[in-house]
Amino acid sequence: MEEGSKSVRLGTLIAVMVEEGEDWKQVEIPLVSSQPAPSPPSPAVAPPTAAPVAPPHRAAPAGSLRLSPAARHILDTHGLDPQLATATGPRGLITKESSVAFIIKEHNVLQIGDALNLLKKGDAGLRVAPVSAPPPAAPAPTVSAPTPMAPAPSTTPASGRPLYPPISVPGKPGAPGTFTEIPASNVRRVIAQRLTQSKTTIPHAYASVDCDLGAVMQLRKELAQEEIKVSVNDFIIKAAAVTLKELPEVNVTWSGDGPQALDSIHISIAVATDRGLITPIIKDAADKGVQEIAANAKALAQKARAGKLLPEEYQGGSFSVSNLGMFGISGFSAVINPPQSCILAVGRSRDELMLTPEGQDSSASSLCTRQLMTVTLSSDGRLVDDELASRFLDKFRANLEKPQRMALA
């Protein structure tokens, strides 16, 4: 292995340690086998020399195959059956050394230099003729002995978990057990970090309410006749800002020391871009009219999609609004944008038939069509309890259903 090599595969032999003055290419690797090596017909009393070899080189019992990660990688790379390897580790574990010795045995490799070449060649080494294969002189040591062995036991134990599952290989989509790596952009990493922080550190609470959009839709028509174009989302942003002004205890954030009340009301609006979701800020939204909010929201959305937002234009909001109504979503729960305490999720508008009272005594009622929209408030339970969240939604609905209230607030 050359110095400074990169992308070295797991299990690759990188170094050989020999005695000083000894040629590493001439060092023989001891063959690890379940049968002792043939010894001269000398003393039968010499078991002390063979005794240390037998205990560690025991085969793994059937049904309890145990492999180290390096051994599994080496055997899978060279297409060898782990059931045929000899376990040399503790409690019948097949180690990396066991796998290397098994490869040497299978391919008749007698020297470390040949083992290095085989491991470097990888799968190609399996198709090369065996190095220095001994001539078939004696019929006794033929390889036909391990052939008539019992079928390998099932690789799946009683627990149902495979002991050596196939390795997932990137870059081969469609093949079983493979995947394709998708590089994450910096924006996507920040989004993932903040969403994980939000869902793991903030106790989310949810509350929903239906709002009648009849007055807002009528006001939009009147403004359109004067060539003033505003959207329903602009009224929602204005209603949320006015409600925060009426309930300042909701306009808070959480820091390491506890709640912090905010002096300004900056509404963050969720904008979907090719790089991910980003939340530009409409500053001092409670003090702006609906037409000015519409102009700011349009300009910020264009800058967000073009990737030209400045840091101060998307950092430091106090409340978020996420609207998926244009995608046909009837209702959903949004994830809080830390360190904010709340986010309002807005669904699409829908027509519903409802009974409305008639006359001053409300004794009679009739069917009429109402245009309703469901909003869901996700709140931080440390800052906004259920009662405060209910009061916020009640005031928000009142402001949205009667737009003139927002001008007086």
Side-chain angles (χ1 to χ4, degrees):
M1 180 67 62
E2 296 181 2
E3 183 179 358
S5 300
K6 297 182 179 179
S7 303
V8 181
R9 299 188 63 178
L10 181 66
T12 302
L13 186 61
I14 61 172
V16 177
M17 299 181 65
V18 297
E19 295 293 337
E20 185 176 1
E22 189 176 1
D23 188 1
W24 67 271
K25 295 184 179 181
Q26 302 301 326
V27 176
E28 294 185 358
I29 300 177
L31 293 177
V32 181
S33 173
S34 57
Q35 299 179 353
S39 56
S42 44
V45 243
T49 55
V53 183
H57 299 78
R58 61 182 181 273
S64 60
L65 187 64
R66 300 176 65 246
L67 295 92
S68 68
R72 179 186 293 111
H73 177 78
I74 293 173
L75 293 177
D76 289 348
T77 302
H78 293 275
L80 298 177
D81 186 1
Q83 298 286 349
L84 303 179
T86 303
T88 60
R91 298 189 303 276
L93 177 68
I94 298 178
T95 62
K96 179 179 68 175
E97 291 76 11
S98 309
S99 305
V100 174
F102 183 41
I103 294 174
I104 295 168
K105 176 185 175 182
E106 287 295 310
H107 299 284
N108 298 325
V109 182
L110 300 179
Q111 293 186 349
I112 291 182
D114 299 331
L116 273 173
N117 294 333
L118 179 61
L119 290 177
K120 286 180 180 179
K121 292 177 182 178
D123 295 339
L126 299 177
R127 295 186 292 269
V128 181
V131 183
S132 66
T142 53
V143 206
S144 59
T147 309
M149 60 185 302
S154 173
T155 58
T156 304
S159 61
R161 179 180 177 183
L163 294 174
Y164 48 96
I167 300 177
S168 297
V169 181
K172 295 182 180 179
T178 63
F179 62 92
T180 301
E181 292 183 352
I182 302 176
S185 62
N186 293 333
V187 176
R188 181 60 61 186
R189 289 193 184 96
V190 173
I191 292 173
Q193 179 183 1
R194 291 181 63 82
L195 289 178
T196 304
Q197 173 191 357
S198 176
K199 293 299 288 187
T200 54
T201 62
I202 299 178
H204 283 57
Y206 307 97
S208 301
V209 71
D210 289 335
C211 303
D212 189 349
L213 294 180
V216 170
M217 301 304 289
Q218 180 62 33
L219 183 56
R220 284 189 65 208
K221 291 181 180 178
E222 296 175 0
L223 293 175
Q225 293 176 356
E226 300 178 7
E227 297 184 355
I228 299 176
K229 295 183 179 180
V230 292
S231 65
V232 175
N233 199 55
D234 301 327
F235 283 97
I236 294 171
I237 296 171
K238 176 65 176 178
V242 170
T243 307
L244 288 174
K245 191 173 184 179
E246 295 174 344
L247 292 175
E249 54 267 38
V250 182
N251 192 36
V252 293
T253 59
W254 180 271
S255 66
D257 300 329
Q260 290 183 345
L262 302 177
D263 299 330
S264 56
I265 299 176
H266 300 332
I267 304 297
S268 302
I269 56 174
V271 177
T273 68
D274 296 337
R275 293 170 294 278
L277 202 66
I278 194 168
T279 52
I281 300 170
I282 299 178
K283 297 185 177 181
D284 300 320
D287 301 329
K288 295 180 179 179
V290 178
Q291 187 176 3
E292 187 177 0
I293 290 176
N296 290 352
K298 184 178 180 180
L300 289 171
Q302 290 177 350
K303 293 182 68 175
R305 294 187 179 98
K308 297 181 179 179
L309 282 176
L310 300 176
E312 59 269 18
E313 292 178 322
Y314 60 87
Q315 295 177 356
S318 57
F319 188 93
S320 294
V321 174
S322 180
N323 192 342
L324 294 181
M326 66 284 297
F327 299 105
I329 304 300
S330 56
F332 68 103
S333 301
V335 181
I336 297 174
N337 186 17
Q340 300 175 9
S341 62
C342 297
I343 182 172
L344 191 68
V346 182
R348 66 177 179 87
S349 62
R350 63 190 186 276
D351 293 333
E352 287 191 7
L353 287 175
M354 301 188 67
L355 286 174
T356 56
E358 289 184 348
Q360 296 181 353
D361 54 354
S362 302
S363 57
S365 58
S366 61
L367 280 174
C368 68
T369 302
R370 297 179 61 188
Q371 198 165 4
L372 300 181
M373 176 188 67
T374 301
V375 296
T376 300
L377 181 70
S378 302
S379 56
D380 187 343
R382 301 171 298 181
L383 298 169
V384 180
D385 56 24
D386 295 340
E387 187 271 339
L388 182 57
S390 301
R391 286 197 289 129
F392 177 88
L393 287 176
D394 186 59
K395 284 187 174 292
F396 172 82
R397 177 174 56 185
N399 289 327
L400 191 61
E401 292 182 350
K402 296 180 180 179
Q404 62 272 19
R405 286 172 52 98
M406 295 188 288
L408 299 176

